[in-house]
Amino acid sequence: MKIVNYITVFASCLIVMNQAKRNPMYQAFQFKVYPLCRILGDDEVADNVVNYIWNILGGGGDDGNLPPNDCKGEFMTCETRNASVVYTHWGRTDCTPDTSDVIYTGYIAGGSHLHSGGGKNPLCLPESPEYNNGLIASGSLRSLVYGAEFETSTYSPLAGLHDKDAVCAVCLAQGRSTSLMIPAKRTCPQGWTKEYEGLLMGDYYTHKGGHEYICIDSNPEVRPGSSPNHNGFLLYPAVGVCGYSLACPPYVDNAELPCVVCTW
C-alpha cells in the first residue's frame, strides 16, 4: 500500500516541484510542494518523496536531504510559520490554551448607551492602566469611556450575570495570519482554527448609543465583586428579526444568535 502511495504522490507532485526547482529558496520550494504532497499521502510518504525529488532536481544539501521541516501540516506552510495574529477574547480573561497565548487581560469598555456620540467600538482596557500625567488636564470637551455591564435579566442562560461587569483578554495566535468572527455559526470553515464560540451581543435597539456587535464567550467571566447597576456600555443578547429582510428560514425569529472566532 505504501508503494502505491509513493507512486501517487510522486506523479501528483512532480510538475509542481519541477516549477519550484528554479527557486533557490528552500522555503519557497516547500511552500509550493509540501501541502499538496501532505494531502495525498501521510507524513512519512510526503517527507520521503519531497526529499527524493528535491535531490533529483539538484537541491539537496551536503547530506542529500532537505533541511528539517518544522512547518508541516495540511494547512500550515513555511510562509505562515512565523506569522501571528492578535484577537480579543470577549467575556474571558484567558485564551484558548492549545492555540493562543495571553498578551494581557482587562475589562470591556466603550461609550455610554445614553450618548449619541463617542466611540462605537468596544475596548479591552488593561487591568493596570498607565497614565501620562503630562497629558492630564481639566476640561469638559472629552470622549467618555464607560465600563461594560451584562444586561441579561430576561435571558435565562446568563441571568446570573445581570448588571455584572464584563471582562476580556487580548490573545496572540502564533502560526496564523488572520482572524475572523462569524455570526450565527458555531464552527469554523475547513482549515481554520476555532479559538472560541459564544453569544453575539450588542446594545439595546432603542438606545441612542449603539455599538458594534461582539462575540462574548459562551461561558463568560465577570469582574469579581461587580454587581451594582451602573450601566454605561451595555451588552444585550442579539436575536434575529423575521418579517423584514432577514432570510427566514433558515433564520428563526427572536432566536439568540451564536458566534465563533476563528484564526487561519
Side-chain angles (χ1 to χ4, degrees):
M1 183 65 181
K2 185 162 290 187
I3 295 176
V4 175
N5 283 343
Y6 273 112
I7 296 174
T8 302
V9 175
F10 184 97
S12 301
C13 297
L14 183 57
I15 296 176
V16 179
M17 290 182 176
N18 189 56
Q19 293 176 349
K21 70 180 180 180
R22 299 179 181 86
N23 194 327
M25 297 295 293
Y26 162 68
Q27 287 190 355
F29 170 83
Q30 199 177 37
F31 166 69
K32 292 179 179 179
V33 175
Y34 194 88
L36 175 60
C37 298
R38 176 61 185 86
I39 291 172
L40 295 173
D42 57 32
D43 280 332
E44 183 180 354
V45 171
D47 282 341
N48 290 335
V49 171
V50 169
N51 273 287
Y52 178 69
I53 301 181
W54 175 258
N55 290 332
I56 291 177
L57 298 175
D62 293 337
D63 59 357
N65 292 319
L66 286 169
N69 177 10
D70 59 354
C71 50
K72 299 174 186 174
E74 190 168 340
F75 301 102
M76 173 67 70
T77 66
C78 293
E79 187 176 75
T80 59
R81 174 184 55 186
N82 296 320
S84 60
V85 64
V86 174
Y87 70 91
T88 302
H89 194 169
W90 302 109
R92 297 284 303 182
T93 56
D94 56 12
C95 302
T96 308
D98 296 333
T99 63
S100 305
D101 299 314
V102 176
I103 299 176
Y104 73 88
T105 59
Y107 313 114
I108 302 178
S112 170
H113 68 294
L114 296 175
H115 300 164
S116 56
K120 303 301 182 184
N121 58 306
L123 302 172
C124 185
L125 296 182
E127 294 178 353
S128 302
E130 299 174 353
Y131 287 98
N132 185 338
N133 292 330
L135 298 179
I136 296 178
S138 60
S140 59
L141 301 179
R142 303 290 187 270
S143 181
L144 308 181
V145 177
Y146 296 80
E149 281 186 356
F150 287 109
E151 297 295 325
T152 53
S153 60
T154 62
Y155 180 62
S156 57
L158 299 181
L161 303 183
H162 182 63
D163 282 341
K164 294 184 178 180
D165 298 349
V167 297
C168 53
V170 175
C171 308
L172 178 68
Q174 297 192 18
R176 271 97 69 198
S177 58
T178 190
S179 64
L180 173 68
M181 188 277 279
I182 308 177
K185 294 290 287 185
R186 299 181 60 194
T187 58
C188 297
Q190 183 179 9
W192 290 70
T193 298
K194 180 178 179 179
E195 300 297 340
Y196 72 93
E197 67 173 282
L199 176 69
L200 195 68
M201 303 192 81
D203 204 350
Y204 192 58
Y205 73 100
T206 62
H207 286 170
K208 291 181 179 179
H211 58 75
E212 295 178 6
Y213 291 105
I214 58 176
C215 187
I216 296 290
D217 192 283
S218 56
N219 184 29
E221 301 173 274
V222 296
R223 184 171 67 85
S226 62
S227 59
N229 182 22
H230 292 313
N231 292 322
F233 188 88
L234 303 181
L235 295 167
Y236 292 80
V239 299
V241 179
C242 295
Y244 295 89
S245 299
L246 187 64
C248 299
Y251 287 89
V252 178
D253 188 51
N254 208 42
E256 284 76 16
L257 294 168
C259 52
V260 64
V261 172
C262 312
T263 56
W264 171 273

